[in-house]
Amino acid sequence: MDDSLPSGRPRPRIAVFAGPTATILNTPDLVTSNKARARHGLPLRPSRFDVLRPQRLAAPVTLYVEAFSAHPLEADAADLYAPPDGWLDEDGTFHAEQPSGAATPVHVVELDPVDGLYPLPYMGRQADGSAWEETSTAPYAPPGAARQTFYPDARRLYEEIERFGLADHGTPVELGSIADFEFFRAAPSGGYTTGPDSERLGQDFFVYYPYHLQSEPGLGDLARATNQVQAVLATGEFSGVQWLEGSPTVDETLYWLGLLIDTKVPLVGHAAQRRHQSLSSDGDRNVVDGVKFIASGVALDERGEDRLGACVIVDELVYAARDVTKVDARPGGYEVTGGHGGVVADLGGYGPPQLTYLPARRHTHRSELRLTVLPERVGGVTGSLGSGVLPVDVGTKDAEGLVPAAMPHVSITKYSRYAATGTGSDNPPVADEEVEILARIDANLAHAPLSGFVCEGMSPFGMADPTRNAALGVAVFAGMPVVRTGRGNTGGMAWRTDPAFISGNNLTATKARMLLMAALLRFGSLPPAADPFDPTPDERAATEKAVAQYQAVFDTH
């Protein structure tokens, strides 16, 4: 078998990862059809038509399809068609030759289970015989009384895209003709809850629907997913990665993977604003565009190495993961952040993908934070603000990769004007008034030896009010680096007004959080002062020297 594409490029093999709370892997509730309701004497829904859902035949069946019914103007061009397979008379009897009198021309179709999925009425009912009206047996039902709407991995999604998708000229969407796929589950959206290896909602898989059962992955889950992606790519068997996740957060995860994963193949993420199978769902096209992008080789340089870093592919555009965010749940609901480029390639039209610019930031195999060069141990901090802060050794990496329990804890605090207590010559700033920050510092010292803060402050400085700045200064001299970013989607670079703080460049606060987490795994905590409320000049100098290492990373990644 020829394993190359018509272009001569080798046939790609793509690793597809199912990530958390992924609308792209989510389908509308399976609601009992009127066919089933009529069969079992249940009240009918008022809809004119039954919704057809992809299902498998259990046995072969012969169907008669009315000729010229696929388009309102098919019969208008009847002279262009071959004769039908036969005719059905008014009694429904099939005739190979056209009978006298009224008869309907038909095509004879033999359907077989091996053909794959077919759109059919959904016949399922609840155990008590009643109809399904939503995904749960009743509103706000517990997990044991709720079905799942998310696919456990992307295998079924890709099958349905190929089975039901239409290419631009009426031909099938042939994913399998241009690439081979292997499917993985990394903090997946759906899980298997029965059997010897049953999984637990909120621990092994993460959903947001039904909404009352929403769950979110934690830092340990991110560590395990990172290790899994790195291990899969370390085999050397794959030409690229497609990562599927919820649209509000896919950019964060892809930016993280672009910092940590040591690879020379493309990493692309996809999301959907609307659920799979729903009206105007966008996820299927995003997946197809991702396959097209990886197979084209446009992301590779002359050595065959990825030159774009982690990307998010949505709405026929390829965004650098560092420079994109979701702003609204509608088509085109993604925007470039940071005010400088962001769209690295275009997938619109019938031609091949075209690059628009190359990112200047370090990524993947060029990242100074990639998993393969991170140390196995770094310094952390422990203790309390009351009794003193002490250095502690933290094991961050082992044979499996990142140690989930050692993942850094980075909090985001946001500046807004008109604090409870103003400041001035008669009312100087007092860090003790920022009880939330000080409580978080003590909680970090007790439970998270690697930790830090991001302050989304005023633009362009990234600073907050004097009282909050003072409290964040306590964090810095307790060993916790603090990054200052501009407010919201800032278009410029955060100014560096104090060498004890890190400038977040033009990153959003959420992206700065991901970069600070990665940097903590590389450099460890800052050197703590004996009294974080009042560091000595030598202690301040030592902190500023350590912060400079962080700043170099923020300036280049």
Side-chain angles (χ1 to χ4, degrees), residues 320-335:
R322 183 188 185 276
D323 302 322
V324 64
T325 191
K326 175 181 175 178
V327 295
D328 200 1
R330 62 182 63 171
Y334 301 88
E335 285 190 2

Side-chain angles (χ1 to χ4, degrees), residues 74-145:
E74 261 199 302
D76 190 66
D79 59 318
L80 301 178
Y81 286 77
D85 297 324
W87 288 261
L88 294 181
D89 62 24
E90 292 179 317
D91 297 326
T93 303
F94 178 79
H95 300 268
E97 301 294 334
Q98 185 173 7
S100 60
T104 302
V106 295
H107 302 294
V108 180
V109 183
E110 304 287 344
L111 305 184
D112 193 279
V114 299
D115 296 336
L117 299 162
Y118 282 97
L120 298 165
Y122 182 67
M123 304 298 288
R125 294 174 295 137
Q126 295 194 41
D128 63 2
S130 62
W132 287 105
E133 304 293 355
E134 58 179 271
T135 199
S136 303
T137 57
Y140 304 105

Side-chain angles (χ1 to χ4, degrees), residues 183-508:
F183 300 95
F184 301 91
R185 304 174 67 235
S189 301
Y192 301 95
T193 60
T194 59
D197 298 321
S198 63
E199 297 175 319
R200 298 156 296 176
L201 173 65
Q203 296 186 53
D204 303 304
F205 62 99
F206 306 91
V207 308
Y208 65 76
Y209 187 86
Y211 298 118
H212 68 284
L213 299 179
Q214 179 183 0
S215 57
E216 284 284 328
L219 289 171
D221 302 301
L222 178 61
R224 285 183 283 270
T226 305
N227 296 341
Q228 184 182 10
V229 174
Q230 185 67 72
V232 167
L233 291 180
T235 65
E237 300 175 0
F238 295 94
S239 309
V241 163
Q242 289 181 283
W243 176 278
L244 311 181
E245 188 175 334
S247 54
T249 56
V250 65
D251 60 315
E252 293 179 47
T253 305
L254 263 293
Y255 181 47
W256 170 267
L257 294 177
L259 294 170
L260 271 290
I261 300 301
D262 191 351
T263 184
K264 296 179 179 179
V265 305
L267 298 174
V268 301
H270 306 297
Q273 304 282 32
R274 299 186 178 95
R275 294 201 272 178
H276 175 61
Q277 299 175 356
S278 65
L279 184 65
S280 192
S281 61
D282 54 319
D284 294 3
R285 180 57 184 262
N286 294 338
V287 165
V288 173
D289 282 345
V291 175
K292 175 182 175 181
F293 174 78
I294 294 172
S296 73
V298 70
L300 307 180
D301 63 17
E302 65 278 1
R303 298 181 299 277
E305 299 175 356
D306 176 62
R307 52 185 171 172
L308 298 180
C311 299
V312 174
I313 299 181
V314 289
D315 301 333
E316 300 182 35
L317 293 173
V318 184
Y319 295 91
R322 183 188 185 276
D323 302 322
V324 64
T325 191
K326 175 181 175 178
V327 295
D328 200 1
R330 62 182 63 171
Y334 301 88
E335 285 190 2
V336 170
T337 60
H340 302 279
V343 177
V344 296
D346 186 281
L347 286 158
Y350 298 110
Q354 297 187 44
L355 293 189
T356 53
Y357 87 99
L358 297 178
R361 307 290 178 167
R362 301 181 72 88
H363 58 77
T364 55
H365 58 99
R366 299 177 58 244
S367 170
E368 295 178 3
L369 306 172
R370 62 193 187 277
L371 188 56
T372 54
V373 301
L374 290 179
E376 294 184 356
R377 312 191 72 82
V378 296
V381 287
T382 188
S384 71
L385 291 177
S387 61
V389 181
L390 301 173
V392 62
D393 188 52
V394 183
T396 53
K397 199 171 77 169
D398 59 19
E400 301 297 320
L402 297 178
V403 176
M407 285 288 283
H409 186 292
V410 175
S411 304
I412 298 176
T413 182
K414 185 165 183 171
Y415 158 74
S416 57
R417 177 142 285 174
Y418 309 114
T421 303
T423 57
S425 59
D426 296 329
N427 188 23
V430 179
D432 289 346
E433 293 179 0
E434 289 293 336
V435 294
E436 294 91 347
I437 293 175
L438 295 181
R440 183 70 258 171
I441 293 172
D442 263 329
N444 288 345
L445 291 171
H447 306 293
L450 296 177
S451 55
F453 289 84
V454 173
C455 176
E456 186 181 283
M458 64 181 77
S459 294
F461 308 103
M463 296 167 58
D465 59 89
T467 299
R468 183 162 301 191
N469 286 334
L472 291 172
V474 174
V476 169
F477 293 106
M480 303 171 198
V482 175
V483 180
R484 287 174 167 174
T485 68
R487 194 173 192 176
N489 175 9
T490 179
M493 312 296 178
W495 293 4
R496 195 174 185 204
T497 57
D498 185 336
F501 290 84
I502 304 163
S503 165
N505 211 276
N506 64 337
L507 290 169
T508 61

Side-chain angles (χ1 to χ4, degrees), residues 1-28:
M1 175 181 176
D2 185 6
D3 59 356
S4 63
L5 300 175
S7 63
R9 291 190 51 77
R11 179 183 174 86
R13 189 162 183 242
I14 299 175
V16 183
F17 290 87
T21 61
T23 301
I24 197 169
L25 291 170
N26 193 16
T27 63

